[in-house]
């Protein structure tokens, strides 16, 4: 899913709204941030960690994309079930602000996060950013969706080899 999306306003955070500038996570990720995947930002409910290889985080043009391999623990099974049922469908991120800016737009205070130290990504009940997303995708389902693409590539390779 996406723990953050760039240039999208958050919900009201208590007198202001927030948006994330593209590249806000770049230095933190490049610097080897040790990021945990949590449930509702609860450090007792760890479901992945990038340094353990169970959390993959990439920053792309859309935002902060995450892939979590949840553990076979009560917390892992519970959050997976809640996501599959649609009870939980958003994400959030825990951070420390390095650089931000403020402006007043249409009578609202808007904070733009320009650089942050990323600490966690979380599947959450109440996301501050409505445009975040989380979904469950099994490895078997992923393999099934890839089969037609792999068959096409295999046929092209066979045709290329036959022509040479």
């Amino acid at each position: 899913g996406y723990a953050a999306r760039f240039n999208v306003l958050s919900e009201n955070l208590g007198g202001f709204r927030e948006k994330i500038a593209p590249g806000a996570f770049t230095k933190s990720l490049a610097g080897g941030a040790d990021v945990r995947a949590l449930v509702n930002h609860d450090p007792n409910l760890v479901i992945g960690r990038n340094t353990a290889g169970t959390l993959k985080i990439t920053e792309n043009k859309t935002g902060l994309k995450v892939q979590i391999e949840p553990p076979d623990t009560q917390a892992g099974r519970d959050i997976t079930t809640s996501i599959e049922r649609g009870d939980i469908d958003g994400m959030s991120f825990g951070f420390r602000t390095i650089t931000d800016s403020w402006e007043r737009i249409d009578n609202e205070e808007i904070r733009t996060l320009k650089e942050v130290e990323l600490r966690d990504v979380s599947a959450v009940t109440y996301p501050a950013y409505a445009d975040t997303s989380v979904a469950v995708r099994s490895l078997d389902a992923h393999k099934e969706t890839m089969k037609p693409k792999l068959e096409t590539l295999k046929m092209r390779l066979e045709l290329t080899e036959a022509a040479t």
Side-chain angles (χ1 to χ4, degrees), residues 7 10 27 38 55 59 63 70-71 76-77 80 91 97-98 108 115 118 125 129 135 138 140 144 147-148 152 154:
N7 296 316
S10 70
K27 282 187 182 177
L38 307 175
L55 167 63
E59 188 178 35
R77 290 186 300 273
T80 300
M91 293 197 75
T97 304
I98 305 296
E108 276 190 309
E115 182 186 343
L118 185 62
T125 306
Y129 290 86
S138 74
D140 291 337
E144 284 300 314
K147 269 186 184 179
T152 301
K154 184 178 173 184

PDB file of all heavy atoms in Angstrom, residues 7 10 27 38 55 59 63 70-71 76-77 80 91 97-98 108 115 118 125 129 135 138 140 144 147-148 152 154:
ATOM      1  N   ASN A   7       1.753  15.688  -2.061  1.00  0.00           N
ATOM      2  CA  ASN A   7       0.933  16.840  -2.470  1.00  0.00           C
ATOM      3  C   ASN A   7      -0.565  16.642  -2.274  1.00  0.00           C
ATOM      4  O   ASN A   7      -1.367  17.172  -3.036  1.00  0.00           O
ATOM      5  CB  ASN A   7       1.243  17.222  -3.919  1.00  0.00           C
ATOM      6  CG  ASN A   7       2.670  17.695  -4.073  1.00  0.00           C
ATOM      7  OD1 ASN A   7       3.171  18.466  -3.258  1.00  0.00           O
ATOM      8  ND2 ASN A   7       3.339  17.214  -5.104  1.00  0.00           N
ATOM      9  N   SER A  10      -3.902  16.495   4.260  1.00  0.00           N
ATOM     10  CA  SER A  10      -4.383  15.614   5.326  1.00  0.00           C
ATOM     11  C   SER A  10      -5.746  16.094   5.804  1.00  0.00           C
ATOM     12  O   SER A  10      -6.242  17.142   5.388  1.00  0.00           O
ATOM     13  CB  SER A  10      -3.403  15.663   6.506  1.00  0.00           C
ATOM     14  OG  SER A  10      -3.472  16.929   7.150  1.00  0.00           O
ATOM     15  N   LYS A  27      16.269  11.339   1.993  1.00  0.00           N
ATOM     16  CA  LYS A  27      17.484  11.286   2.824  1.00  0.00           C
ATOM     17  C   LYS A  27      17.364  10.242   3.925  1.00  0.00           C
ATOM     18  O   LYS A  27      18.319   9.536   4.217  1.00  0.00           O
ATOM     19  CB  LYS A  27      17.784  12.654   3.429  1.00  0.00           C
ATOM     20  CG  LYS A  27      18.428  13.614   2.462  1.00  0.00           C
ATOM     21  CD  LYS A  27      18.846  14.887   3.183  1.00  0.00           C
ATOM     22  CE  LYS A  27      19.445  15.883   2.208  1.00  0.00           C
ATOM     23  NZ  LYS A  27      19.793  17.156   2.898  1.00  0.00           N
ATOM     24  N   LEU A  38       4.061  -1.148  11.815  1.00  0.00           N
ATOM     25  CA  LEU A  38       3.305  -1.346  13.051  1.00  0.00           C
ATOM     26  C   LEU A  38       1.810  -1.379  12.762  1.00  0.00           C
ATOM     27  O   LEU A  38       1.384  -1.088  11.645  1.00  0.00           O
ATOM     28  CB  LEU A  38       3.593  -0.206  14.034  1.00  0.00           C
ATOM     29  CG  LEU A  38       5.049   0.093  14.368  1.00  0.00           C
ATOM     30  CD1 LEU A  38       5.152   1.334  15.254  1.00  0.00           C
ATOM     31  CD2 LEU A  38       5.724  -1.099  15.031  1.00  0.00           C
ATOM     32  N   LEU A  55       9.999  -5.692   5.463  1.00  0.00           N
ATOM     33  CA  LEU A  55       9.346  -4.454   5.056  1.00  0.00           C
ATOM     34  C   LEU A  55      10.176  -3.836   3.939  1.00  0.00           C
ATOM     35  O   LEU A  55      11.381  -3.623   4.105  1.00  0.00           O
ATOM     36  CB  LEU A  55       9.261  -3.475   6.239  1.00  0.00           C
ATOM     37  CG  LEU A  55       8.889  -2.027   5.934  1.00  0.00           C
ATOM     38  CD1 LEU A  55       7.484  -1.934   5.356  1.00  0.00           C
ATOM     39  CD2 LEU A  55       9.016  -1.165   7.186  1.00  0.00           C
ATOM     40  N   GLU A  59      10.197   5.158  -2.352  1.00  0.00           N
ATOM     41  CA  GLU A  59       9.605   6.457  -2.604  1.00  0.00           C
ATOM     42  C   GLU A  59       9.516   6.609  -4.110  1.00  0.00           C
ATOM     43  O   GLU A  59      10.523   6.495  -4.809  1.00  0.00           O
ATOM     44  CB  GLU A  59      10.506   7.535  -1.993  1.00  0.00           C
ATOM     45  CG  GLU A  59       9.915   8.907  -2.007  1.00  0.00           C
ATOM     46  CD  GLU A  59      10.840   9.917  -1.343  1.00  0.00           C
ATOM     47  OE1 GLU A  59      12.076   9.779  -1.461  1.00  0.00           O
ATOM     48  OE2 GLU A  59      10.327  10.840  -0.730  1.00  0.00           O
ATOM     49  N   GLY A  63       4.211   8.567  -3.917  1.00  0.00           N
ATOM     50  CA  GLY A  63       4.387   8.703  -2.474  1.00  0.00           C
ATOM     51  C   GLY A  63       5.285   7.626  -1.909  1.00  0.00           C
ATOM     52  O   GLY A  63       6.202   7.152  -2.568  1.00  0.00           O
ATOM     53  N   PRO A  70       3.871  -9.801   6.765  1.00  0.00           N
ATOM     54  CA  PRO A  70       3.509  -9.913   8.188  1.00  0.00           C
ATOM     55  C   PRO A  70       3.897 -11.266   8.770  1.00  0.00           C
ATOM     56  O   PRO A  70       3.908 -12.281   8.084  1.00  0.00           O
ATOM     57  CB  PRO A  70       1.991  -9.732   8.192  1.00  0.00           C
ATOM     58  CG  PRO A  70       1.549 -10.030   6.814  1.00  0.00           C
ATOM     59  CD  PRO A  70       2.703  -9.757   5.896  1.00  0.00           C
ATOM     60  N   PRO A  71       4.206 -11.275  10.057  1.00  0.00           N
ATOM     61  CA  PRO A  71       4.599 -12.524  10.708  1.00  0.00           C
ATOM     62  C   PRO A  71       3.382 -13.409  10.996  1.00  0.00           C
ATOM     63  O   PRO A  71       2.252 -12.930  11.032  1.00  0.00           O
ATOM     64  CB  PRO A  71       5.229 -12.041  12.026  1.00  0.00           C
ATOM     65  CG  PRO A  71       4.489 -10.773  12.328  1.00  0.00           C
ATOM     66  CD  PRO A  71       4.226 -10.138  10.986  1.00  0.00           C
ATOM     67  N   GLY A  76       0.024 -10.276  13.432  1.00  0.00           N
ATOM     68  CA  GLY A  76       0.087 -10.422  11.976  1.00  0.00           C
ATOM     69  C   GLY A  76      -1.198 -10.982  11.401  1.00  0.00           C
ATOM     70  O   GLY A  76      -1.715 -10.493  10.391  1.00  0.00           O
ATOM     71  N   ARG A  77      -1.724 -12.012  12.039  1.00  0.00           N
ATOM     72  CA  ARG A  77      -2.976 -12.616  11.556  1.00  0.00           C
ATOM     73  C   ARG A  77      -4.154 -11.665  11.734  1.00  0.00           C
ATOM     74  O   ARG A  77      -5.000 -11.543  10.851  1.00  0.00           O
ATOM     75  CB  ARG A  77      -3.224 -13.947  12.267  1.00  0.00           C
ATOM     76  CG  ARG A  77      -2.248 -15.050  11.845  1.00  0.00           C
ATOM     77  CD  ARG A  77      -2.606 -16.404  12.454  1.00  0.00           C
ATOM     78  NE  ARG A  77      -2.598 -16.404  13.903  1.00  0.00           N
ATOM     79  CZ  ARG A  77      -1.513 -16.633  14.657  1.00  0.00           C
ATOM     80  NH1 ARG A  77      -0.351 -16.887  14.082  1.00  0.00           N
ATOM     81  NH2 ARG A  77      -1.611 -16.629  15.980  1.00  0.00           N
ATOM     82  N   THR A  80      -3.989  -8.759   9.137  1.00  0.00           N
ATOM     83  CA  THR A  80      -4.257  -9.289   7.802  1.00  0.00           C
ATOM     84  C   THR A  80      -5.750  -9.543   7.621  1.00  0.00           C
ATOM     85  O   THR A  80      -6.339  -9.169   6.604  1.00  0.00           O
ATOM     86  CB  THR A  80      -3.456 -10.595   7.567  1.00  0.00           C
ATOM     87  OG1 THR A  80      -2.060 -10.294   7.688  1.00  0.00           O
ATOM     88  CG2 THR A  80      -3.717 -11.160   6.192  1.00  0.00           C
ATOM     89  N   MET A  91      -3.310   3.850   5.870  1.00  0.00           N
ATOM     90  CA  MET A  91      -1.995   3.769   6.493  1.00  0.00           C
ATOM     91  C   MET A  91      -1.590   5.133   7.024  1.00  0.00           C
ATOM     92  O   MET A  91      -2.228   6.145   6.750  1.00  0.00           O
ATOM     93  CB  MET A  91      -0.945   3.260   5.503  1.00  0.00           C
ATOM     94  CG  MET A  91      -1.150   1.825   5.080  1.00  0.00           C
ATOM     95  SD  MET A  91       0.326   1.113   4.342  1.00  0.00           S
ATOM     96  CE  MET A  91       1.325   0.842   5.803  1.00  0.00           C
ATOM     97  N   THR A  97      10.175  15.667  12.157  1.00  0.00           N
ATOM     98  CA  THR A  97      10.328  16.703  11.140  1.00  0.00           C
ATOM     99  C   THR A  97      11.764  17.217  11.119  1.00  0.00           C
ATOM    100  O   THR A  97      12.312  17.579  12.158  1.00  0.00           O
ATOM    101  CB  THR A  97       9.374  17.886  11.414  1.00  0.00           C
ATOM    102  OG1 THR A  97       8.039  17.385  11.486  1.00  0.00           O
ATOM    103  CG2 THR A  97       9.470  18.936  10.336  1.00  0.00           C
ATOM    104  N   ILE A  98      12.346  17.257   9.929  1.00  0.00           N
ATOM    105  CA  ILE A  98      13.659  17.870   9.725  1.00  0.00           C
ATOM    106  C   ILE A  98      13.454  19.281   9.163  1.00  0.00           C
ATOM    107  O   ILE A  98      13.968  20.245   9.689  1.00  0.00           O
ATOM    108  CB  ILE A  98      14.543  17.032   8.778  1.00  0.00           C
ATOM    109  CG1 ILE A  98      14.676  15.579   9.272  1.00  0.00           C
ATOM    110  CG2 ILE A  98      15.906  17.691   8.575  1.00  0.00           C
ATOM    111  CD1 ILE A  98      15.373  15.406  10.598  1.00  0.00           C
ATOM    112  N   GLU A 108      -6.827  28.619   5.823  1.00  0.00           N
ATOM    113  CA  GLU A 108      -6.339  27.418   6.513  1.00  0.00           C
ATOM    114  C   GLU A 108      -4.824  27.484   6.631  1.00  0.00           C
ATOM    115  O   GLU A 108      -4.142  27.908   5.711  1.00  0.00           O
ATOM    116  CB  GLU A 108      -6.669  26.146   5.719  1.00  0.00           C
ATOM    117  CG  GLU A 108      -8.031  25.583   5.930  1.00  0.00           C
ATOM    118  CD  GLU A 108      -8.156  24.211   5.296  1.00  0.00           C
ATOM    119  OE1 GLU A 108      -7.822  24.060   4.101  1.00  0.00           O
ATOM    120  OE2 GLU A 108      -8.590  23.287   5.999  1.00  0.00           O
ATOM    121  N   GLU A 115      11.299  17.533   4.531  1.00  0.00           N
ATOM    122  CA  GLU A 115      12.214  16.440   4.846  1.00  0.00           C
ATOM    123  C   GLU A 115      11.865  15.903   6.217  1.00  0.00           C
ATOM    124  O   GLU A 115      11.692  16.669   7.166  1.00  0.00           O
ATOM    125  CB  GLU A 115      13.675  16.905   4.844  1.00  0.00           C
ATOM    126  CG  GLU A 115      14.647  15.780   5.123  1.00  0.00           C
ATOM    127  CD  GLU A 115      16.093  16.230   5.259  1.00  0.00           C
ATOM    128  OE1 GLU A 115      16.435  17.351   4.846  1.00  0.00           O
ATOM    129  OE2 GLU A 115      16.884  15.447   5.811  1.00  0.00           O
ATOM    130  N   LEU A 118      12.030   9.172   8.834  1.00  0.00           N
ATOM    131  CA  LEU A 118      10.979   8.161   8.887  1.00  0.00           C
ATOM    132  C   LEU A 118      11.273   7.163   9.995  1.00  0.00           C
ATOM    133  O   LEU A 118      12.372   6.618  10.079  1.00  0.00           O
ATOM    134  CB  LEU A 118      10.879   7.448   7.541  1.00  0.00           C
ATOM    135  CG  LEU A 118       9.766   6.432   7.371  1.00  0.00           C
ATOM    136  CD1 LEU A 118       8.393   7.097   7.518  1.00  0.00           C
ATOM    137  CD2 LEU A 118       9.881   5.751   6.009  1.00  0.00           C
ATOM    138  N   THR A 125      -6.441   2.529  11.874  1.00  0.00           N
ATOM    139  CA  THR A 125      -7.891   2.639  11.895  1.00  0.00           C
ATOM    140  C   THR A 125      -8.344   3.992  11.360  1.00  0.00           C
ATOM    141  O   THR A 125      -9.300   4.079  10.602  1.00  0.00           O
ATOM    142  CB  THR A 125      -8.401   2.457  13.336  1.00  0.00           C
ATOM    143  OG1 THR A 125      -7.880   1.228  13.849  1.00  0.00           O
ATOM    144  CG2 THR A 125      -9.917   2.426  13.377  1.00  0.00           C
ATOM    145  N   TYR A 129      -4.329  10.920   6.446  1.00  0.00           N
ATOM    146  CA  TYR A 129      -4.418  11.148   5.005  1.00  0.00           C
ATOM    147  C   TYR A 129      -5.376  10.113   4.417  1.00  0.00           C
ATOM    148  O   TYR A 129      -5.066   8.921   4.385  1.00  0.00           O
ATOM    149  CB  TYR A 129      -3.043  11.002   4.335  1.00  0.00           C
ATOM    150  CG  TYR A 129      -2.084  12.104   4.678  1.00  0.00           C
ATOM    151  CD1 TYR A 129      -1.290  12.037   5.821  1.00  0.00           C
ATOM    152  CD2 TYR A 129      -1.951  13.215   3.853  1.00  0.00           C
ATOM    153  CE1 TYR A 129      -0.399  13.050   6.130  1.00  0.00           C
ATOM    154  CE2 TYR A 129      -1.065  14.233   4.152  1.00  0.00           C
ATOM    155  CZ  TYR A 129      -0.290  14.135   5.298  1.00  0.00           C
ATOM    156  OH  TYR A 129       0.599  15.144   5.601  1.00  0.00           O
ATOM    157  N   ALA A 135      -3.675  -3.088   1.414  1.00  0.00           N
ATOM    158  CA  ALA A 135      -4.427  -4.245   0.931  1.00  0.00           C
ATOM    159  C   ALA A 135      -3.583  -5.492   1.154  1.00  0.00           C
ATOM    160  O   ALA A 135      -2.370  -5.413   1.304  1.00  0.00           O
ATOM    161  CB  ALA A 135      -4.749  -4.090  -0.557  1.00  0.00           C
ATOM    162  N   SER A 138      -1.672 -12.045  -1.624  1.00  0.00           N
ATOM    163  CA  SER A 138      -0.894 -13.242  -1.335  1.00  0.00           C
ATOM    164  C   SER A 138       0.108 -13.495  -2.455  1.00  0.00           C
ATOM    165  O   SER A 138      -0.079 -13.070  -3.590  1.00  0.00           O
ATOM    166  CB  SER A 138      -1.805 -14.459  -1.192  1.00  0.00           C
ATOM    167  OG  SER A 138      -2.287 -14.860  -2.451  1.00  0.00           O
ATOM    168  N   ASP A 140       0.685 -16.339  -3.861  1.00  0.00           N
ATOM    169  CA  ASP A 140       0.037 -17.193  -4.857  1.00  0.00           C
ATOM    170  C   ASP A 140      -0.811 -16.368  -5.825  1.00  0.00           C
ATOM    171  O   ASP A 140      -0.776 -16.592  -7.030  1.00  0.00           O
ATOM    172  CB  ASP A 140      -0.832 -18.259  -4.181  1.00  0.00           C
ATOM    173  CG  ASP A 140      -0.003 -19.293  -3.440  1.00  0.00           C
ATOM    174  OD1 ASP A 140       1.185 -19.459  -3.778  1.00  0.00           O
ATOM    175  OD2 ASP A 140      -0.556 -19.935  -2.529  1.00  0.00           O
ATOM    176  N   GLU A 144      -0.300 -15.859  -9.932  1.00  0.00           N
ATOM    177  CA  GLU A 144      -1.377 -16.070 -10.905  1.00  0.00           C
ATOM    178  C   GLU A 144      -1.536 -14.871 -11.840  1.00  0.00           C
ATOM    179  O   GLU A 144      -1.740 -15.035 -13.031  1.00  0.00           O
ATOM    180  CB  GLU A 144      -2.705 -16.372 -10.196  1.00  0.00           C
ATOM    181  CG  GLU A 144      -2.800 -17.764  -9.635  1.00  0.00           C
ATOM    182  CD  GLU A 144      -2.662 -18.850 -10.706  1.00  0.00           C
ATOM    183  OE1 GLU A 144      -3.306 -18.750 -11.772  1.00  0.00           O
ATOM    184  OE2 GLU A 144      -1.888 -19.788 -10.466  1.00  0.00           O
ATOM    185  N   LYS A 147       1.286 -14.920 -14.473  1.00  0.00           N
ATOM    186  CA  LYS A 147       1.367 -16.022 -15.428  1.00  0.00           C
ATOM    187  C   LYS A 147       1.213 -15.584 -16.882  1.00  0.00           C
ATOM    188  O   LYS A 147       2.033 -15.953 -17.722  1.00  0.00           O
ATOM    189  CB  LYS A 147       0.341 -17.116 -15.097  1.00  0.00           C
ATOM    190  CG  LYS A 147       0.867 -18.175 -14.185  1.00  0.00           C
ATOM    191  CD  LYS A 147      -0.151 -19.298 -14.023  1.00  0.00           C
ATOM    192  CE  LYS A 147       0.365 -20.310 -13.031  1.00  0.00           C
ATOM    193  NZ  LYS A 147      -0.586 -21.397 -12.825  1.00  0.00           N
ATOM    194  N   PRO A 148       0.170 -14.821 -17.254  1.00  0.00           N
ATOM    195  CA  PRO A 148       0.034 -14.418 -18.657  1.00  0.00           C
ATOM    196  C   PRO A 148       1.230 -13.609 -19.160  1.00  0.00           C
ATOM    197  O   PRO A 148       1.682 -13.807 -20.290  1.00  0.00           O
ATOM    198  CB  PRO A 148      -1.242 -13.565 -18.673  1.00  0.00           C
ATOM    199  CG  PRO A 148      -1.991 -13.947 -17.449  1.00  0.00           C
ATOM    200  CD  PRO A 148      -0.961 -14.357 -16.455  1.00  0.00           C
ATOM    201  N   THR A 152       3.764 -14.809 -22.205  1.00  0.00           N
ATOM    202  CA  THR A 152       4.044 -13.959 -23.365  1.00  0.00           C
ATOM    203  C   THR A 152       5.543 -13.770 -23.535  1.00  0.00           C
ATOM    204  O   THR A 152       6.070 -13.872 -24.651  1.00  0.00           O
ATOM    205  CB  THR A 152       3.344 -12.582 -23.197  1.00  0.00           C
ATOM    206  OG1 THR A 152       1.943 -12.799 -23.076  1.00  0.00           O
ATOM    207  CG2 THR A 152       3.633 -11.663 -24.371  1.00  0.00           C
ATOM    208  N   LYS A 154       7.889 -15.748 -22.469  1.00  0.00           N
ATOM    209  CA  LYS A 154       8.458 -17.039 -22.845  1.00  0.00           C
ATOM    210  C   LYS A 154       8.275 -17.291 -24.346  1.00  0.00           C
ATOM    211  O   LYS A 154       9.201 -17.727 -25.037  1.00  0.00           O
ATOM    212  CB  LYS A 154       7.799 -18.160 -22.033  1.00  0.00           C
ATOM    213  CG  LYS A 154       8.371 -19.529 -22.268  1.00  0.00           C
ATOM    214  CD  LYS A 154       7.684 -20.542 -21.381  1.00  0.00           C
ATOM    215  CE  LYS A 154       8.137 -21.944 -21.733  1.00  0.00           C
ATOM    216  NZ  LYS A 154       7.410 -22.953 -20.960  1.00  0.00           N
TER     217      LYS A 154
END
